[in-house]
Amino acid sequence: MIARVTALLLIALGLVPTANLLTRGAALPWWPGVVTWWVMGGLALLLVAYLLARVSGDGVERTASRVARAVMALPSRAFLLIVSSLGFALSAATAWYCFNRQPQSIDEMAELWHARMLLAGHLSIPSAAHPEFFSAMNVIDAGGRWYSQFPIGGPLILAVGLAAGLVWLVNPLLIALTVRNVYRFVQRAYGEPLARGAAILLLVAPFFIFMGGSEQNHVPALAFATLALAALPSWWQASSRSAAYRQAAIIGAAIGAMAIVRPLDALAAAAAIGLFQLSTVIATPRRWTELVVQCLAGAIPFALLVWANTRTTGAPLRFGYEVMWGANHGLGFHPSPFGAPHTPRRGLMLASLYLMKLDLYLFEWPIPALVVPIVGLLCLRRPSRWDALLCGLVVAVLVAYALYWHNGHFLGPRFLYTAVPAFVILAARAPGAVAARVGSVGRTMAYAVIPIAVVVALTGLTGPVGVPARLAEYRGGQWQLKTDLARQLRGARLTHALVFVHEGWGARLMARMWAAGVERADAERLLATSDACALELALEQEERHAPADTVGLASRLAAATPDAARRLLRPRPDLSVDETLRFAIEPGLAPSCAAESMADSAGTSLYPPFLDLNRVTSDGHVGGGVVFVRDLGAHNEVLRGQLGDRTWYRYRPRRSSADTTAPFVRY
């Protein structure tokens, strides 16, 4: 029953463009074009598969049998070593080729900064004397303490990589572990042939590999989730109490470890696995003690989370997210931290949006990725308990993130990453399920569709969609974030230096609002809806009163900044300095606004990547040979007393990816 219900849910939200229907096409504007590509590519795919079946007779089946025999001839350990090594190599190559071993999102940068603190022996460090020079999104600077908004597990794992000097290889290693876990789960639940097929299919799922090349915490969360899955069949089939206790402890510890990295994903995984186990225990009451052992094992890593939260946020179950964004950050239908209501309608839209994106990003096939697992679920004659478990995991993750107000995207629908192995395994199940219901031609087509689709995706034969296009997109996009700043710093050989990094006017306004006491959500809302010059003048007025009166500050700024088109919050590289100056100094524009606008004409850089280059000293302060701070113009002089003994420099951002001019210039 659950297999059919899950298939219908995936059809309703993933194939029917529900998100676009609810938003009049605004959710995914590219969807109609991709559907056209899928229709053409899908018809071509089916035609090729049909012609192969008709023309070759049983030749395709003989070839497939030979390939299968060759794969199955490898000893289990040898096969596992090969696929795990390939998972590591592919994700490491992605980190190197696409991202130049640099973090590409603010989430990664915030966790890396927190990892620096942990590496120095601190859960958090004292706030900087002038936080406007050091602040960053998703990094908390409240209550006199400085740490990231993320649970302690992600930064802790990255700290291990920092200690080894190979932080960019942490996630590729975890990808190798995940491939191993998926293989073991399928081997124990479904058998050796499907285990090998699922492992290979996972390796050619670009979304899985690309995420492994990042430093996102989704990857360790998935590694722990699949570790629990791999132990579950052994727990269910355990022939002795000691074996059952051992596997239960592994499951509990894995879910507990997952909870200290991504608590919501752990909750979804625990719900799916827990329901499976409850159905077993209800039928065999003597096994209740095994769940007690499991809970005790899970409590060990969870205790670390509770301890870290207590020492940072002040409460055992209060997360950094709530400290940074307020109580409205939590699950449920209520106003988001930015004021917009998160309603059941919006939750349904987000669930559909994630599935529609997964159609494209999971496999990059010439057909929607969800079609194959959907067809497989509908064709299964008797879905097994393991099919039900995988369906439960898919539904649990989908429901969890439908209840969460934020729309998360990074390299694809990142909130569904924990469910990726479930989709892949169900897709691997599909050819056998279809073949059992059709004749010889249909059987040949069923086994030919996925290999053909994989070849098309990997070679990009059908045009702008496919792995080559995605590789080019990731390699060419956000080129400034791919700059190897550490290498530039080593080449410059700076010692006892202070380097100012010039961010755009909007980012500077944001940092100043944070320092003045404006909450993060209020600051984002003000920046998005206010005229930049009016906000600049209002903020200057507030900054003249020291110490600042933070009570009602956001309301006063909002009252002083009329909604209007935002002025030059981003640099205009198409204008020369003189043109920028003329553009900025429009009639009535205050001199300070003109100066702030013109300052961006020399180029801007994001500050958070430089924050990660700072070192945390043993006493919990920012120090080391070189300190990077945000450039705030004349306000920089307040640092003379604290950092005036250092040689001051400015960082000169690259004008293009080919720019090799010296990046550090004397202040």
Side-chain angles (χ1 to χ4, degrees):
M1 180 66 178
I2 189 173
R4 296 294 178 91
V5 170
T6 303
L8 293 175
L9 179 67
L10 295 179
I11 291 171
L13 299 181
L15 297 185
V16 176
T18 301
N20 276 1
L21 295 176
L22 292 174
T23 60
R24 297 183 179 180
L28 282 183
W30 50 258
W31 180 262
V34 173
V35 168
T36 301
W37 177 74
W38 278 330
V39 169
M40 297 172 60
L43 289 174
L45 183 90
L46 291 175
L47 179 60
V48 171
Y50 176 76
L51 291 175
L52 279 174
R54 298 295 297 182
V55 172
S56 67
D58 60 354
V60 172
E61 289 193 43
R62 287 199 306 271
T63 302
S65 296
R66 284 196 295 269
V67 172
R69 284 196 299 272
V71 172
M72 293 299 295
L74 289 169
S76 176
R77 289 187 178 181
F79 176 83
L80 186 53
L81 177 62
I82 290 170
V83 292
S84 298
S85 300
L86 281 173
F88 170 79
L90 290 171
S91 50
T94 297
W96 186 288
Y97 180 79
C98 293
F99 309 134
N100 198 28
R101 300 167 296 152
Q102 307 301 314
Q104 299 296 294
S105 71
I106 191 62
D107 289 7
E108 298 165 89
M109 297 170 196
E111 288 201 87
L112 279 169
W113 177 232
H114 200 170
R116 293 276 183 205
M117 301 178 198
L118 297 177
L119 196 59
H122 303 279
L123 274 175
S124 63
I125 61 176
S127 299
H130 298 284
E132 62 272 26
F133 290 99
F134 296 94
S135 56
M137 185 62 71
N138 296 347
V139 176
I140 296 169
D141 184 7
R145 307 305 298 173
W146 205 4
Y147 53 99
S148 80
Q149 70 170 6
F150 298 97
I152 194 64
L156 185 60
I157 291 169
L158 291 178
V160 175
L162 285 175
L166 294 169
V167 68
W168 65 282
L169 288 180
V170 168
N171 276 356
L173 285 170
L174 291 170
I175 285 291
L177 175 61
T178 300
V179 173
R180 175 264 177 202
N181 293 339
V182 170
Y183 171 77
R184 287 301 188 200
F185 166 72
V186 182
Q187 180 192 48
R188 294 162 180 168
Y190 294 98
E192 187 69 29
L194 187 66
R196 299 195 179 197
I200 293 170
L201 190 57
L202 190 62
L203 291 176
V204 293
F207 181 41
F208 172 71
I209 295 297
F210 287 146
M211 187 69 80
S214 75
E215 291 164 23
Q216 285 275 5
N217 62 12
H218 297 272
V219 179
L222 179 60
F224 291 131
T226 53
L227 182 59
L229 282 177
L232 192 59
S234 296
W235 170 83
W236 183 73
Q237 301 163 356
S239 58
S240 66
R241 297 300 293 274
S242 60
Y245 286 141
R246 184 169 56 253
Q247 298 303 323
I250 293 173
I251 295 169
I255 293 177
M258 191 181 179
I260 71 172
V261 178
R262 293 192 64 84
L264 185 53
D265 293 70
L267 182 63
I273 292 173
L275 286 174
F276 177 93
Q277 290 182 298
L278 282 175
S279 67
T280 301
V281 169
I282 289 172
T284 316
R286 64 179 178 80
R287 303 194 70 175
W288 277 105
T289 54
E290 297 164 19
L291 297 190
V292 174
V293 171
Q294 181 170 310
C295 291
L296 291 174
I300 296 173
F302 192 76
L304 173 62
L305 176 66
V306 167
W307 174 75
N309 282 351
T310 303
R311 295 289 300 274
T312 52
T313 69
L317 296 180
R318 188 185 189 210
F319 292 94
Y321 305 116
E322 186 177 343
V323 175
M324 173 158 281
W325 302 105
N328 280 353
H329 184 278
L331 296 181
F333 301 117
H334 50 66
S336 76
F338 302 104
H342 182 55
T343 62
R345 176 188 176 93
R346 187 170 185 275
L348 184 67
M349 184 278 293
L350 288 179
S352 174
L353 179 71
Y354 300 148
L355 288 173
M356 290 166 66
K357 287 182 177 180
L358 198 68
D359 275 321
L360 178 63
Y361 287 93
L362 179 57
F363 291 127
E364 304 281 352
W365 284 350
I367 55 175
L370 294 183
V371 166
V372 176
I374 287 171
V375 170
L377 287 172
L378 293 175
C379 289
L380 286 173
R381 294 187 186 275
R382 290 186 178 179
S384 70
R385 57 175 51 86
W386 307 111
D387 297 320
L389 170 68
L390 296 175
C391 289
L393 180 60
V394 167
V395 172
V397 171
L398 200 60
V399 169
Y401 280 103
L403 292 172
Y404 181 47
W405 58 272
H406 182 56
N407 178 3
H409 179 93
F410 179 77
L411 308 178
R414 63 187 178 96
F415 287 159
L416 295 189
Y417 195 68
T418 297
V420 161
F423 285 108
V424 170
I425 295 166
L426 291 173
R429 287 270 280 149
V434 173
R437 287 181 172 266
V438 296
S440 60
V441 172
R443 185 167 57 252
T444 300
M445 290 179 65
Y447 284 111
V449 163
I450 289 181
I452 296 172
V454 168
V455 170
V456 170
L458 294 180
T459 58
L461 290 175
T462 56
V465 178
V467 174
R470 197 67 68 192
L471 283 170
E473 175 190 342
Y474 293 158
R475 180 174 171 81
Q478 300 191 121
W479 59 267
Q480 280 190 318
L481 291 180
K482 296 180 176 63
T483 302
D484 191 340
L485 301 175
R487 183 176 180 179
Q488 287 185 338
L489 184 60
R490 289 192 300 270
R493 298 182 179 179
L494 304 185
T495 58
H496 202 59
L498 179 68
V499 178
F500 290 89
V501 180
H502 187 79
E503 283 199 298
W505 187 9
R508 299 196 302 275
L509 285 169
M510 186 83 80
R512 289 163 58 195
M513 283 191 282
W514 294 342
V518 180
E519 297 293 335
R520 293 296 209 264
D522 291 334
E524 285 220 352
R525 186 163 54 248
L526 281 167
L527 189 66
T529 60
S530 302
D531 174 77
C533 186
L535 184 57
E536 172 71 32
L537 297 176
L539 194 55
E540 287 176 1
Q541 181 68 24
E542 292 289 341
E543 289 170 337
R544 291 191 188 100
H545 301 89
D549 177 14
T550 60
V551 178
L553 175 57
S555 298
R556 293 198 302 275
L557 289 176
T561 54
D563 293 352
R566 296 158 67 190
R567 288 190 182 90
L568 280 179
L569 291 185
R570 294 174 182 163
R572 288 283 301 274
D574 56 310
L575 302 181
S576 67
V577 173
D578 290 340
E579 289 172 328
T580 301
L581 182 61
R582 289 196 299 271
F583 186 85
I585 306 178
E586 57 190 66
L589 188 63
S592 60
C593 295
E596 291 290 340
S597 177
M598 188 182 71
D600 289 355
S601 62
T604 62
S605 303
L606 288 176
Y607 174 67
F610 294 87
L611 176 64
D612 289 334
L613 292 179
N614 288 326
R615 294 295 182 269
V616 178
T617 60
S618 58
D619 61 353
H621 293 87
V622 176
V626 181
V627 173
F628 291 87
V629 296
R630 180 179 284 107
D631 187 354
L632 293 176
H635 185 58
N636 295 346
E637 292 303 312
V638 303
L639 295 178
R640 287 290 179 188
Q642 178 187 358
L643 298 166
D645 63 327
R646 292 174 177 263
T647 305
W648 286 21
Y649 294 86
R650 279 196 170 95
Y651 180 79
R652 192 196 68 82
R654 295 191 301 166
R655 289 290 189 173
S656 70
S657 57
D659 186 353
T660 58
T661 308
F664 299 100
V665 296
R666 288 294 295 268
Y667 189 81

